[in-house]
Amino acid sequence: MSKTMLAAAKTSTKPGIELITVSVPEISDKEVLVKVMASGLCGSDIHTYLWEETMHYKEKYLPLILGHEFSGEVVAVGKAVQTVKLGDHVLAKPSHPCGQCWFCRNHQPQNCTHREICGTTKAGAFAQYCAIHEDQVVHMPEGMTWDQGAIVEPLGVGANCAIRSGLGYGDFVVISGPGPIGLTALLAARALGAGRIAIYGTARDEKRLALAKELGADYTLMGDQCDIVQEIKDLTGGQGADVALECVGRSALLQTNLDLVRKLGTVCCAGVYSTPATFNLDDTVRNSKRIIGAYAGYSFERSVQWITSNNVLAEKAVKIISHRSHLRDIEAAFQRAMGQENVKEIFTRFD
């Protein structure tokens, strides 16, 4: 194994990403070293690339190797590791909770106050190798592909949004944004028993909306070519949707989604907002509407079971991957993502 590796890092507070050569990570007694085989480009990586205001908290961690959606092979094991061995095929939970804070002590490690997060507070997986704690390891079942392993994290984020919304059997569900999270939320909503599902984007999303139709959406709409609220009202006999899943992170869409849900309807937000959102609180209160946040992913273990126990789902989930690229192509990958030319881009070559 070489002592150095290629990595893509955020190195300054200016927009952009830089390819650098760094030392291969050294592992502690409770860590393993993973040779990265597939690593996905996430919307949060784009927010960091642009250095939006909500990402400024990362400044103290610069230079920071990005990337948190990945699968790979274990090539080194710390001497105190008990559940992982050399050669294991694994994917990783992005965060490692502290185990000591109030949330950890109350069985909510996903809300840990002091957690370390790959690609956010510690070196991530836009590199040939990534070091993770033993507790972050999720073993890949036999037959699971590297691509499927890399898609588990966004699949869990979409599932978390759908599950937290409380959508019920037969509900009319509207999803804003046919990006990776919107599309995985679509798969999850369908699996949870949603009735009719509408998903909307803009004219730039034509290919993504076509994919949404292929993945099971009943209606695909372009918000810049129609009145989304009126379209949903027309489709529901004037009542409005039961649930809206906001998977974009555009502030203006919060009000749009509140307007298109019915009385007692729910808007669940999974998108990361770069600016504060304003909305009509009076209408929300008078019509007993709910706004819920859904941060990060649902159980990785359950997501693995979901994707490996259902051949149709596994096939559909991988269709979200539109590009497989070399890490050296990362600048072009970011440009494709910001131009909505890709859906989910993963890096599969790192030399």
Side-chain angles (χ1 to χ4, degrees), residues 220-236:
T220 57
L221 305 168
M222 296 182 184
D224 52 352
Q225 296 185 5
C226 69
D227 182 334
I228 288 294
V229 175
Q230 190 58 52
E231 287 284 337
I232 298 304
K233 292 289 181 69
D234 290 344
L235 289 169
T236 57

Side-chain angles (χ1 to χ4, degrees), residues 13-327:
T13 57
K14 296 178 181 179
I17 191 80
E18 185 178 351
L19 283 171
I20 59 176
T21 299
V22 297
S23 298
V24 172
E26 295 184 2
I27 58 173
S28 68
D29 290 351
K30 290 292 289 181
E31 288 185 319
V32 301
L33 186 67
V34 178
K35 181 180 181 181
V36 180
M37 303 302 291
S39 184
L41 178 59
C42 175
S44 64
D45 296 320
I46 296 171
H47 291 300
T48 303
Y49 175 100
L50 295 171
W51 202 245
E52 294 174 346
E53 186 175 349
T54 53
M55 298 293 110
H56 290 185
Y57 74 94
K58 297 181 182 180
E59 184 171 358
K60 64 182 178 181
Y61 303 111
L62 302 183
L64 176 68
I65 299 171
L66 302 185
H68 59 273
E69 307 171 356
F70 68 101
S71 60
E73 181 179 350
V74 175
V75 294
V77 177
K79 62 183 180 181
V81 171
Q82 297 181 348
T83 61
V84 187
K85 64 182 184 301
L86 289 176
D88 282 355
H89 290 193
V90 303
L91 54 96
K93 302 174 185 177
S95 64
H96 175 233
C98 71
Q100 302 298 321
C101 70
W102 185 91
F103 292 102
C104 286
R105 296 197 310 271
N106 285 274
H107 311 292
Q108 300 177 47
Q110 71 277 13
N111 295 315
C112 173
T113 308
H114 307 297
R115 60 184 175 171
E116 289 187 322
I117 308 175
C118 288
T120 298
T121 66
K122 61 174 289 189
F126 285 171
Q128 290 171 293
Y129 299 95
C130 184
I132 58 174
H133 193 278
E134 178 183 16
D135 292 344
Q136 292 175 258
V137 170
V138 178
H139 287 87
M140 294 170 58
E142 184 176 351
M144 189 177 200
T145 68
W146 301 124
D147 287 2
Q148 290 171 337
I151 208 74
V152 164
E153 198 276 345
L155 189 68
V157 173
N160 189 40
C161 183
I163 290 167
R164 279 194 49 78
S165 76
L167 70 87
Y169 182 72
D171 277 354
F172 191 109
V173 177
V174 177
I175 301 170
S176 50
I181 303 307
L183 294 173
T184 56
L186 163 63
L187 293 175
R190 182 62 73 203
L192 290 169
R196 292 180 292 163
I197 301 176
I199 185 167
Y200 70 92
T202 68
R204 296 173 67 191
D205 291 312
E206 184 176 2
K207 291 183 179 179
R208 292 179 171 194
L209 289 169
L211 177 57
K213 192 77 172 178
E214 186 178 347
L215 296 181
D218 298 288
Y219 312 101
T220 57
L221 305 168
M222 296 182 184
D224 52 352
Q225 296 185 5
C226 69
D227 182 334
I228 288 294
V229 175
Q230 190 58 52
E231 287 284 337
I232 298 304
K233 292 289 181 69
D234 290 344
L235 289 169
T236 57
Q239 176 173 284
D242 299 295
V243 172
L245 308 179
E246 207 298 275
C247 300
V248 178
R250 280 190 56 205
S251 301
L253 293 182
L254 178 57
Q255 185 63 59
T256 299
N257 284 291
L258 283 167
D259 289 341
L260 62 80
V261 296
R262 60 170 171 79
K263 293 182 179 181
L264 299 174
T266 297
V267 177
C268 189
C269 302
V272 177
Y273 288 73
S274 59
T275 58
T278 58
F279 61 96
N280 186 338
L281 182 58
D282 184 63
D283 176 75
T284 302
V285 170
R286 290 181 183 276
N287 289 297
S288 300
K289 298 179 181 182
R290 297 192 305 162
I291 303 171
I292 297 175
Y295 184 65
Y298 192 62
S299 165
F300 272 70
E301 290 80 4
R302 290 192 176 220
S303 294
V304 167
Q305 291 175 29
W306 185 29
I307 197 172
T308 55
S309 65
N310 186 322
N311 291 335
V312 174
L313 171 68
E315 180 181 340
K316 286 184 175 181
V318 173
K319 284 184 178 180
I320 294 170
I321 300 172
S322 60
H323 292 69
R324 293 168 176 82
S325 303
H326 196 295
L327 188 64

